Amino acid sequence: MGRTLVILGVLGSLCLGVLALTGAEWPFGRAAAAVAVAGGEQPPPQDYVDLRTVAPAAPAPPNGPDASTGSFAEDCGRNAEGHRNSDNVVTSPGITDGAHHTHDYVGNLSTNAFSTDASLEAAATTCTDGDRSTFYWPVLRRLDRSGGPGSGAHGNTGRILEPVSVRVEFRGSPVSPVVPMPHGLRLLTGDPVAATSDGSLTRAAWGCSGLPGRSTELYPRCPEGSRLTRTLDFPSCWDGLHTDSPDHRDHAVFPAANGVCPHGTFAVPQLRVVVAYEMPSGAPFALDSFPEQRRSPVTEHAVFVDEMSDRQMARVADCLNQGRRC
């Protein structure tokens, strides 16, 4: 009788977990969800690497004669306001908790599952230049600390780590001028289900501030005194027609390794966001993720919605095309 009650209790917990995992961003069926809920909450040791053992990346190819060599940085804060939720207005619009993991936001202060271009345009922003765009990514948690928003939901235990800095920068193309992004453009980078997919969309680039030029798809162990970093590079080849697409990717893709955009696409300012954290050496940490992704580092991802005015975006493109640092 005792064993029967235990089995029933476990099955009941699994069923509750499956029922909770609904929403447009959830990519798997109920059987996969049940297995995920039964799994652990902390990544295995092989998901971590001492970054000093990782070879530096090969140097980028030289710029061509028509390159847009400028850069444009803006100060959008580091989410000191605590703007967080488990929504995803791009992939799960209109669904509260559609992401099943918590996101950190900078920029627009109103972003949630029900946001529209009109509501974003009317909201306040953390960007000092008035840019009302929204930038967001899954939070990072320290696993040997408990509590905090969303702790334990969908297996994402631990206390949220506050970024010590967030750098938002637009860069040019190494082979051509850029055209302004269209207002309302939606961009995704990385793959929130990379641990169970073919990995083709993985864009994880974890690093340490004291080891520039090195990055890894694994969680890095950084030397004492070095900050943990996440570099989030977004696609920069736009199809010239659409601000979104059914898979949220076909309308804007990454250039080839030499910087050339695919035929039929146009180079737009390339967005890079670098998030940094103070992390004691050896402290356990992990991303928020879908349950079946087991908080894998390769599930790193981020989202951008362009709400700059046409004048602001034209200023960005001009800065890049003229080779200035703005």
Side-chain angles (χ1 to χ4, degrees):
M1 182 66 174
R3 179 176 296 179
T4 301
L5 289 175
V6 170
I7 293 172
L8 289 174
V10 171
L11 290 175
S13 297
L14 290 176
C15 290
L16 288 174
V18 173
L19 290 173
L21 298 171
T22 58
E25 195 177 349
W26 179 253
F28 296 102
R30 292 174 178 246
V35 171
V37 173
E41 297 167 343
Q42 184 165 338
Q46 58 265 32
D47 278 356
Y48 298 82
V49 64
D50 184 335
L51 196 64
R52 291 170 295 187
T53 66
V54 176
N63 291 325
D66 298 322
S68 42
T69 58
S71 63
F72 184 99
E74 56 178 340
D75 180 5
C76 292
R78 57 182 182 86
N79 196 22
E81 300 77 12
H83 180 195
R84 299 184 180 95
N85 57 46
S86 53
D87 299 348
N88 193 325
V89 66
V90 173
T91 62
S92 305
I95 301 174
T96 300
D97 194 30
H100 302 298
H101 49 261
T102 302
H103 288 127
D104 251 330
Y105 292 82
V106 300
N108 201 290
L109 281 165
S110 70
T111 316
N112 60 33
F114 302 94
S115 294
T116 63
D117 281 333
S119 70
L120 293 171
E121 289 170 7
T125 179
T126 63
C127 299
T128 57
D129 60 357
D131 178 9
R132 288 176 168 77
S133 300
T134 184
F135 312 78
Y136 58 98
W137 48 85
V139 299
L140 200 63
R141 295 182 190 265
R142 187 165 163 178
L143 305 183
D144 59 351
R145 299 289 186 270
S146 61
S151 180
H154 307 295
N156 292 308
T157 55
R159 182 175 298 171
I160 291 174
L161 283 163
E162 307 278 349
V164 295
S165 67
V166 176
R167 179 173 176 82
V168 175
E169 181 181 19
F170 293 91
R171 307 184 304 163
S173 163
V175 297
S176 72
V178 298
V179 299
M181 290 180 179
H183 182 79
L185 182 66
R186 272 74 169 149
L187 296 179
L188 270 63
T189 185
D191 183 5
V193 297
T196 55
S197 68
D198 62 8
S200 61
L201 299 176
T202 300
R203 290 281 170 176
W206 299 89
C208 303
S209 61
L211 296 169
R214 304 184 193 214
S215 66
T216 174
E217 291 184 351
L218 302 177
Y219 291 128
R221 294 297 188 191
C222 296
E224 196 70 50
S226 188
R227 289 175 171 173
L228 171 69
T229 64
R230 306 163 67 176
T231 299
L232 302 160
D233 283 336
F234 286 78
S236 57
C237 300
W238 172 51
D239 69 4
L241 297 172
H242 306 99
T243 58
D244 202 357
S245 50
D247 67 353
H248 313 294
R249 298 180 189 270
D250 285 347
H251 64 294
V253 298
F254 284 89
N258 61 3
V260 175
C261 283
H263 179 72
T265 65
F266 305 87
V268 295
Q270 191 268 317
L271 172 62
R272 166 173 285 183
V273 179
V274 181
V275 188
Y277 305 83
E278 296 286 2
M279 178 68 66
S281 181
F285 64 92
L287 283 173
D288 268 19
S289 76
F290 291 121
E292 91 291 343
Q293 300 302 309
R294 307 294 176 89
R295 311 184 78 173
S296 170
V298 299
T299 63
E300 173 76 304
H301 63 281
V303 183
F304 167 67
V305 180
D306 172 32
E307 293 296 338
M308 280 191 184
S309 67
D310 290 344
R311 182 177 179 181
Q312 287 174 316
M313 181 52 69
R315 180 173 166 236
V316 172
D318 288 344
C319 175
L320 304 184
N321 289 334
Q322 294 167 13
R324 295 185 286 118
R325 295 182 66 86
C326 305

